[in-house]
Amino acid sequence: TPPHIMESMILSISAAQKSVQLCTPYFIPTDSFKTALLIAVSKGVDVSLMIPSKGDSAVVQAASLSFLKPFVQRGMNVYLYEKGFIHAKTICIDGILNYIGTTNLDSRSFLINFELSTVILDKNIAQQLTCQFKKDASLSRIFTAETWKNEKWYYKAFASICRLLAPLL
């Protein structure tokens, strides 16, 4: 089956003019999803991502973190949620277009698993998602290029190995 959910998300992110807020427990983006986010940041869209500070899988968490450096270097805001394991799977674009569902931002969800995401065009839902995102951001620490630089060398090596497994995670 074609990756309709991923394609819809990429199209929506590409059309964003002001903001994109993404919340996911697993962030292992496909090349096309990564490109859409980087282009959005490059054209001045305020892009923010929230993932858990501690994941439920060391391998997936390390792989997720290994993807973040180029995003934060380009200006994307990345929050590591510290108050437990955040499992929300939401996207809010320009304060009106919303995705809520089971789809993680990873290859398995996009290309292998049977996932469901509802697309909702509604300012009130967007406002609720944005308020929750801000509340959760206050319970998070910010991930920067410096954060990654300060990781221990052996963790970065482990993350690089995990990243090789990204298509399977």
Side-chain angles (χ1 to χ4, degrees), residues 66-165:
S66 77
F67 280 96
L68 298 178
K69 184 180 173 187
F71 291 108
V72 295
Q73 285 178 323
R74 295 278 284 274
M76 187 163 130
N77 305 302
V78 175
Y79 300 93
L80 302 178
Y81 183 75
E82 300 239 291
K83 195 177 176 189
F85 180 69
I86 196 159
H87 204 253
K89 297 157 185 149
T90 62
I91 300 175
C92 181
I93 299 171
D94 288 342
I96 191 164
L97 181 63
N98 311 283
Y99 287 81
I100 302 171
T102 65
T103 309
N104 296 301
L105 302 181
D106 64 15
S107 297
R108 290 189 64 80
S109 280
F110 288 148
L111 306 171
I112 299 169
N113 295 348
F114 183 76
E115 303 287 1
L116 180 67
S117 282
T118 302
V119 182
I120 305 167
L121 190 64
D122 186 280
K123 287 182 180 181
N124 292 328
I125 300 268
Q127 186 177 28
Q128 291 174 41
L129 286 177
T130 297
C131 285
Q132 187 63 52
F133 193 94
K134 287 178 181 176
K135 183 178 176 184
D136 292 338
S138 73
L139 301 170
S140 303
R141 65 185 163 94
I142 296 172
F143 182 94
T144 64
E146 196 69 21
T147 306
W148 186 247
K149 183 181 175 187
N150 291 334
E151 283 289 349
K152 298 198 178 352
W153 70 267
Y154 51 85
Y155 183 78
K156 289 193 270 191
F158 173 67
S160 294
I161 292 167
C162 294
R163 187 175 176 148
L164 293 173
L165 302 172

Side-chain angles (χ1 to χ4, degrees), residues 10-68:
I10 289 170
L11 179 63
S12 298
I13 290 166
S14 298
Q17 295 178 3
K18 295 180 277 182
S19 63
V20 176
Q21 293 175 330
L22 309 108
C23 187
T24 184
Y26 313 110
F27 183 70
I28 302 176
T30 61
D31 286 342
S32 53
F33 197 85
K34 182 169 66 170
T35 299
L37 289 173
L38 290 171
I39 289 171
V41 170
S42 295
K43 68 180 190 178
V45 175
D46 180 15
V47 180
S48 298
L49 169 71
M50 185 173 302
I51 62 172
S53 178
K54 289 191 174 43
D56 61 350
S57 163
V59 171
V60 174
Q61 184 71 12
S64 290
L65 293 177
S66 77
F67 280 96
L68 298 178

